């Protein structure tokens, strides 16, 4: 009575049933005796349901019907010890993927991001907390469970061993590489309307801005000159859309050189090093298999000058793939590691924001992987990425980031404890409005672990083992 009156508790009437089954009568008697003994040890008494076995069985089945009149009164605190009252669960069917075990109940977490209003996702965590490993785990699961295409932007060269094993296409882009990606690639489904050149024009303008290093963007006159040249450059391809007619950066350069304006010559001069000079890696037609189901763009060996450009071109290739898959009603998963590198530059950041806003309609599922939440709050525009992500896989967080996250996501102090000095593969999953603490321990003896780990010591052990064999 004191609890009910002074502690704002409620009274619940509970029936607790233990269903015993066995092959023989003797085994059944033994099981009942053992259960009674365990209950007695904890000061509980069990009553056998003599002459009510049928009602007991029906009440034990998940029908929501209780045919047993024996009830026990419990307060809220006492009732809350039963698992369904203390934990939320995430367990879905269909094409759901495994994301670890619920840290409270040890039940599996199985979810399908496609069923969210917005499937965009983020993987956040301090170095060594398991971000890249979590991304590779999801990539592997998605590869085997779904029919989705998977594209990876890999600035650190971490993903290609796994992609090789899955039979995917690894594109090593560097100044000395023989793998080429054409930034001028376009397909006829590139836009919502019948003008694919409109959206492509935005990309070419962003590319030129990045090349020219303009702090305030390129001037209106320069934009007009580029816009005038593009229909000329793509005319031959649109008349006969075969790969031999696809223009390259050199065609845009030649067209600009033919224009009379000073602005055209300035843009062409800026492009010259990328067309005829030492950085001409992007002045070739695409020569890699971009139709493969899983593709990794490894841009680790691109110099500082080319890395930002490479990441922008990779994003455009992803957009190309998404538009092709949209016509086939197929989803495209896009993973961007070291996401903060894209957010530093205005052009790549703007393109990323566009992806987070529009990919959902086109069947795209982007996932950004980065260390600090501060990178996603650098400007009002970039903040849209954070606000438009309904799936967040949060691992251990730095102290400064924890306070920001608690405010932005309304995380309670107790929930915050799961991302405070937590171990590898432990943290919180945000799935829409549901927040669940998880733990994910992977068997280190598996070959798959050796492909996914980023620890140099463990990679060394693998090479040593191979050498011995």
């Amino acid at each position: 009575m004191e609890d009910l009156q002074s502690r704002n508790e409620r009274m619940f009437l509970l029936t607790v049933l233990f269903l015993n089954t066995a092959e023989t009568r003797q085994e059944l008697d033994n099981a009942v005796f053992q259960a009674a003994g365990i209950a007695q040890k904890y000061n509980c008494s069990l009553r056998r349901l003599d002459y009510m076995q049928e009602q007991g069985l029906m009440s034990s089945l998940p029908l929501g019907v209780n045919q047993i009149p024996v009830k026990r009164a419990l307060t809220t605190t006492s009732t809350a010890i039963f698992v369904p009252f203390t934990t939320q669960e995430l367990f879905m069917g269909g094409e759901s993927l495994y994301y670890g075990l619920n840290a409270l109940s040890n039940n599996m977490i199985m979810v399908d991001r496609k069923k969210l209003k917005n499937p965009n996702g983020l993987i956040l965590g301090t170095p060594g907390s398991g971000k890249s490993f979590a991304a590779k785990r999801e990539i592997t699961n998605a590869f085997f469970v779904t029919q989705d295409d998977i594209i990876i932007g890999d600035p650190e060269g971490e993903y290609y061993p796994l992609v090789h094993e899955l039979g995917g296409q690894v594109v090593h882009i560097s100044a000395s590489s023989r793998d080429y990606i054409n930034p001028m690639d376009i397909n006829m489904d590139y836009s919502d309307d019948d003008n694919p050149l409109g959206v492509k024009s935005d990309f070419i303008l962003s590319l030129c801005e990045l090349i020219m290093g303009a702090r305030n963007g390129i001037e209106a006159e320069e934009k007009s000159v580029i816009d005038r040249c593009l229909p000329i450059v793509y005319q031959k391809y649109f008349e006969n859309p075969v790969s031999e007619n696809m223009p390259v950066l050199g065609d845009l350069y030649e067209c600009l050189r033919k224009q009379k304006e000073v602005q055209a010559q300035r843009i062409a001069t800026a492009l010259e090093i990328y067309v005829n000079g030492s950085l001409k890696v992007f002045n070739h037609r695409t020569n890699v298999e971009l139709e493969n189901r899983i593709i990794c763009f490894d841009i680790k060996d691109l110099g500082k000058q080319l890395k930002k450009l490479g990441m922008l071109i990779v994003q455009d290739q992803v957009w190309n793939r998404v538009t092709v898959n949209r016509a086939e009603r197929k989803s495209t998963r896009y993973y961007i590691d070291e996401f903060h590198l894209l957010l530093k530059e205005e052009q790549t950041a703007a393109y990323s924001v566009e992806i987070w806003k529009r990919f959902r309609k086109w069947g795209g599922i982007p996932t950004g992987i980065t260390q600090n939440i501060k990178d996603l709050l650098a400007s009002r525009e970039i903040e849209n990425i954070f606000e438009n992500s309904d799936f967040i896989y949060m691992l251990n967080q730095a102290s400064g980031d924890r306070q920001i996250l608690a405010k932005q996501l309304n995380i309670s102090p107790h929930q915050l404890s799961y991302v405070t000095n937590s171990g590898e593969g432990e943290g919180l999953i945000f799935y829409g409005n549901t927040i669940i603490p998880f733990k994910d321990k992977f068997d280190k003896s598996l070959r798959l672990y050796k492909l996914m780990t980023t620890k140099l010591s463990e990679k060394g052990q693998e090479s040593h083992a191979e050498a011995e064999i």
Side-chain angles (χ1 to χ4, degrees):
M1 285 295 291
E2 185 184 335
D3 284 346
L4 295 174
Q5 288 169 356
S6 62
R7 296 187 186 173
N8 194 29
E9 301 227 348
R10 301 285 183 270
M11 182 177 283
F12 295 87
L13 294 175
L14 265 71
T15 302
V16 182
L17 295 165
F18 292 88
L19 177 64
N20 292 280
T21 60
E23 293 290 330
T24 66
R25 178 64 184 266
Q26 183 61 48
E27 287 176 10
L28 185 61
D29 286 341
N30 290 342
V32 171
F33 182 76
Q34 282 179 316
I38 294 167
Q40 186 67 41
K41 181 182 173 183
Y42 293 101
N43 298 321
C44 297
S45 60
L46 295 184
R47 273 179 53 187
R48 237 170 60 172
L49 290 177
D50 292 331
Y51 309 109
M52 294 183 70
Q53 284 93 343
E54 185 181 338
Q55 290 91 327
L57 174 62
M58 298 311 291
S59 302
S60 299
L61 296 175
L63 303 175
V65 177
N66 184 13
Q67 299 181 6
I68 302 300
V70 183
K71 291 184 172 63
R72 171 70 188 262
L74 293 179
T75 59
T76 305
T77 306
S78 303
T79 309
I81 66 164
F82 296 100
V83 169
F85 294 92
T86 57
T87 62
Q88 272 185 306
E89 299 292 350
L90 269 175
F91 193 92
M92 305 166 73
E95 289 190 338
S96 60
L97 306 181
Y98 172 77
Y99 288 93
L101 298 176
N102 188 319
L104 296 172
S105 66
N106 277 330
N107 290 328
M108 287 196 297
I109 299 171
M110 302 283 292
V111 295
D112 183 358
R113 284 171 59 179
K114 294 181 207 169
K115 292 183 180 175
L116 283 164
K117 278 190 301 183
N118 197 335
N120 303 344
L122 295 167
I123 298 175
L124 306 172
T126 54
S129 59
K131 295 187 305 298
S132 299
F133 194 94
K136 290 170 192 168
R137 192 150 170 55
E138 185 180 270
I139 287 166
T140 309
N141 289 343
F143 183 80
F144 289 117
V145 173
T146 73
Q147 296 300 312
D148 304 344
D149 284 351
I150 300 163
I151 303 177
I152 305 156
D154 182 13
E156 295 297 323
E158 293 179 20
Y159 291 78
Y160 67 85
L162 177 65
V163 174
H164 267 309
E165 286 295 318
L166 295 176
Q169 170 75 62
V170 178
V171 184
H172 296 283
I173 308 173
S174 71
S176 58
S177 171
R178 292 284 174 256
D179 292 349
Y180 298 128
I181 298 293
N182 182 7
M184 303 293 283
D185 278 349
I186 194 172
N187 67 73
M188 306 312 281
D189 299 313
Y190 200 83
S191 171
D192 278 320
D193 49 34
D194 293 329
N195 180 25
L197 202 53
V199 179
K200 189 68 183 182
S201 176
D202 282 345
F203 165 72
I204 301 295
L205 289 172
S206 296
L207 190 73
C208 292
E209 276 186 335
L210 203 56
I211 285 170
M212 295 180 74
R215 285 189 177 180
N216 303 316
I218 54 179
E219 301 296 329
E221 295 94 330
E222 293 169 334
K223 288 182 180 179
S224 297
V225 169
I226 295 169
D227 202 54
R228 183 202 307 157
C229 288
L230 287 178
I232 301 167
V233 170
Y234 281 100
Q235 183 181 357
K236 191 177 177 183
Y237 179 76
F238 286 149
E239 286 173 359
N240 182 19
V242 292
S243 57
E244 296 78 37
N245 291 338
M246 185 71 75
V248 293
L249 212 52
D251 297 320
L252 177 61
Y253 170 78
E254 295 296 338
C255 187
L256 285 165
R257 282 293 187 211
K258 290 175 185 173
Q259 308 306 306
K260 295 176 183 176
E261 290 90 347
V262 178
Q263 290 87 349
Q265 302 311 312
R266 192 159 65 239
I267 301 164
T269 304
L271 281 173
E272 193 166 349
I273 190 172
Y274 297 96
V275 175
N276 302 319
S278 57
L279 304 178
K280 59 183 179 182
V281 63
F282 293 118
N283 187 34
H284 299 84
R285 287 201 177 92
T286 301
N287 69 344
V288 287
E289 184 200 343
L290 294 181
E291 290 75 39
N292 198 303
R293 208 188 128 201
I294 176 167
I295 302 172
C296 173
F297 291 100
D298 173 17
I299 56 174
K300 181 184 179 184
D301 295 327
L302 276 180
K304 190 177 179 183
Q305 190 75 20
L306 278 170
K307 187 160 277 192
K308 295 163 190 168
L309 201 64
M311 293 183 96
L312 186 68
I313 290 166
V314 166
Q315 282 184 316
D316 184 62
Q317 287 294 337
V318 173
W319 190 263
N320 255 324
R321 184 61 170 270
V322 167
T323 54
V324 169
N325 284 348
R326 182 199 193 193
E328 300 172 10
R329 298 182 177 275
K330 184 191 274 191
S331 295
T332 311
R333 293 173 185 261
Y334 173 39
Y335 294 85
I336 321 113
D337 208 340
E338 305 296 339
F339 193 30
H340 58 277
L341 295 176
L342 284 175
L343 303 178
K344 282 180 182 175
E345 289 296 324
E346 188 181 336
Q347 294 81 14
T348 48
Y351 215 70
S352 300
V353 170
E354 195 70 11
I355 282 174
W356 250 253
K357 283 183 176 177
R358 297 182 60 194
F359 254 32
R360 178 186 60 81
K361 301 177 194 171
W362 295 61
I365 306 171
T367 305
I369 304 152
T370 189
Q371 294 176 14
N372 301 109
I373 191 67
K374 297 185 193 81
D375 298 324
L376 297 162
L377 305 174
S379 74
R380 190 72 198 93
E381 188 181 22
I382 292 172
E383 208 169 317
N384 287 326
I385 292 174
F386 185 63
E387 291 170 355
N388 288 336
S389 297
D390 277 0
F391 179 86
I392 300 176
Y393 193 88
M394 189 184 296
L395 297 146
N396 185 53
Q397 295 296 306
S399 57
D401 289 334
R402 287 199 295 269
Q403 306 313 315
I404 298 170
L405 287 163
K407 185 179 176 184
Q408 292 277 345
L409 297 169
N410 295 320
I411 310 174
S412 71
H414 176 69
Q415 289 170 329
L416 211 55
S417 69
Y418 287 98
V419 289
T420 305
N421 300 322
S422 53
E424 297 171 0
E426 295 176 7
L428 293 170
I429 280 183
F430 295 74
Y431 183 85
N433 295 321
T434 305
I435 306 174
I436 290 186
F438 71 89
K439 55 185 180 181
D440 183 19
K441 300 299 178 191
F442 201 89
D443 186 349
K444 294 186 178 182
S445 66
L446 295 177
R447 185 178 168 202
L448 190 58
Y449 178 82
K450 304 290 192 299
L451 290 169
M452 296 199 295
T453 184
T454 53
K455 291 181 181 176
L456 283 174
S457 57
E458 289 168 342
K459 285 187 172 181
Q461 287 170 11
E462 179 197 14
S463 336
H464 184 62
E466 284 176 0
E468 285 181 350
I469 289 164

